Amino acid sequence: MLEDVFVLLSNTLFSMVPLVLAGVGEVITERSGVVNIGLEGIFILSAFLTTVVTFYTENPYLGLIIGILVGALSGLLHGIISVYLKGDQIIAGVGFNSLAYGISILSLVALWHSHGSSPSVEKMPVIIIGHLTIPPMAIVAILVGVITWWWLYKTPSGLKLRACGEDPRAAEAMGVNVHRTRLYATMVGGALTGLGGAYLVVGWIGQFTKFISAGRGFIALANVAFSNWNPLMAVVGGIIFGFFDALSIYVPIKIQKTTGRIITAESNLFRIIPYIGTLLVVTIIMKKVKAPRALGKPYIKE
């Protein structure tokens, strides 16, 4: 029984990392007034290019850096469309998700003649304490949440960022460059999501698969609402949603070990656990959340 608890706890720590990183990154983006629903696409694209770099260099840390850069560049693209070109932020995010999925599948076929997955790549080491396996990125993700909270609520630059999302005209009157602040925030949010996508490959799964994001980008968006745009609560939310994700992996394996029966087809049913859990949590919490007042609204100077 105790061993099962440790297994489930370890799985939760592995599952929470991309949800926390993308959730905190999106909190930064949305606090500036920009919404980016292209997190799923950033996960996919950064995970794929992380796989390519790690495969050819056999260095997972280089892959991790490339994942961050891909995320930052994706955020830059979304920022230019949303902030400077005044494009529809929702449509831009949806378009990027579709584009990233198409590019990754075409490239997967071109590089490895596979429609489903890449070859295995080198992974980063993990920390083992007794029966508990801890991915170092779980510690990094929690620290990112704590540092982001401190920056947003305890520093002048954090205050300026929040002002851009609440009242950009007042922020401009106080000397804040709203456009530039929103662009940087979108890049930082993209970089953190890219780190989460890279982690999926070199910190957890060990290869790229075409469904590697598995809706985690949308769960991370739900986590932002759950957190009420607070980075510390985004860490808590990532752990909760990560638990649902871990549960969906653990339960079918446990049933197979206990009964000795292979339940490959039925195991797909358990994959809906994180989505049902997300719906329940968000349905309860959404009544109490308060989004930044200028969220999703382009800022036009008078």
Side-chain angles (χ1 to χ4, degrees), residues 32-62:
S32 77
V34 177
V35 60
N36 184 1
I37 67 166
L39 304 186
E40 191 81 357
I42 297 177
F43 271 151
I44 293 171
L45 208 55
S46 59
F48 178 76
L49 288 171
T50 293
T51 305
V52 173
V53 170
T54 307
F55 178 79
Y56 287 107
T57 65
E58 298 182 352
N59 187 331
Y61 299 101
L62 273 180

Side-chain angles (χ1 to χ4, degrees), residues 59 74 134 201 221 235:
N59 187 331
S74 302
I134 304 170
V201 174
L221 284 168
V235 173

Side-chain angles (χ1 to χ4, degrees), residues 21 25-26 28-29 71-72 75 151 183-194:
L21 289 172
E26 185 64 11
I28 295 172
T29 302
W151 172 60
L183 183 68
Y184 288 166
T186 310
M187 287 180 67
V188 172
L192 288 176
T193 306

Side-chain angles (χ1 to χ4, degrees), residues 172-247:
E172 188 82 42
M174 293 173 64
V176 179
N177 188 323
V178 175
H179 287 164
R180 192 166 59 198
T181 302
R182 286 184 167 184
L183 183 68
Y184 288 166
T186 310
M187 287 180 67
V188 172
L192 288 176
T193 306
L195 178 59
Y199 160 82
L200 287 172
V201 174
V202 296
W204 190 7
I205 300 171
Q207 66 177 157
F208 177 84
T209 65
K210 65 179 181 180
F211 296 124
I212 194 165
S213 58
R216 290 184 177 88
F218 299 114
I219 295 176
L221 284 168
N223 186 24
V224 175
F226 166 83
S227 72
N228 207 9
W229 289 264
N230 182 322
L232 288 183
M233 285 305 295
V235 173
V236 175
I239 294 171
I240 293 172
F241 295 126
F243 171 76
F244 287 128
D245 197 13
L247 201 63

Side-chain angles (χ1 to χ4, degrees), residues 44-216:
I44 293 171
L45 208 55
S46 59
F48 178 76
L49 288 171
T50 293
T51 305
V52 173
V53 170
T54 307
F55 178 79
Y56 287 107
T57 65
E58 298 182 352
N59 187 331
Y61 299 101
L62 273 180
L64 209 63
I65 292 171
I66 291 299
I68 296 171
L69 290 176
V70 170
L73 289 174
S74 302
L76 175 64
L77 177 64
H78 185 75
I80 290 173
I81 293 172
S82 304
V83 177
Y84 288 102
L85 302 181
K86 318 298 181 194
D88 188 296
Q89 297 173 20
I90 303 300
I91 292 175
V94 171
F96 184 77
N97 286 340
S98 303
L99 181 67
Y101 184 76
I103 288 175
S104 63
I105 297 300
L106 283 174
S107 303
L108 193 63
V109 174
L111 281 176
W112 293 298
H113 308 290
S114 168
H115 290 82
S117 62
S118 72
S120 297
V121 297
E122 191 77 19
K123 291 168 60 177
M124 295 188 297
V126 296
I127 301 169
I128 298 176
I129 302 175
H131 295 288
L132 191 63
T133 304
I134 304 170
M137 284 297 294
I139 301 169
V140 172
I142 292 171
L143 286 176
V144 165
V146 173
I147 292 170
T148 301
W149 176 86
W150 174 81
W151 172 60
L152 278 179
Y153 292 98
K154 301 294 180 183
T155 67
S157 58
L159 177 62
K160 290 175 182 176
L161 178 89
R162 288 189 286 127
C164 291
E166 294 292 341
D167 192 339
R169 205 160 299 285
E172 188 82 42
M174 293 173 64
V176 179
N177 188 323
V178 175
H179 287 164
R180 192 166 59 198
T181 302
R182 286 184 167 184
L183 183 68
Y184 288 166
T186 310
M187 287 180 67
V188 172
L192 288 176
T193 306
L195 178 59
Y199 160 82
L200 287 172
V201 174
V202 296
W204 190 7
I205 300 171
Q207 66 177 157
F208 177 84
T209 65
K210 65 179 181 180
F211 296 124
I212 194 165
S213 58
R216 290 184 177 88

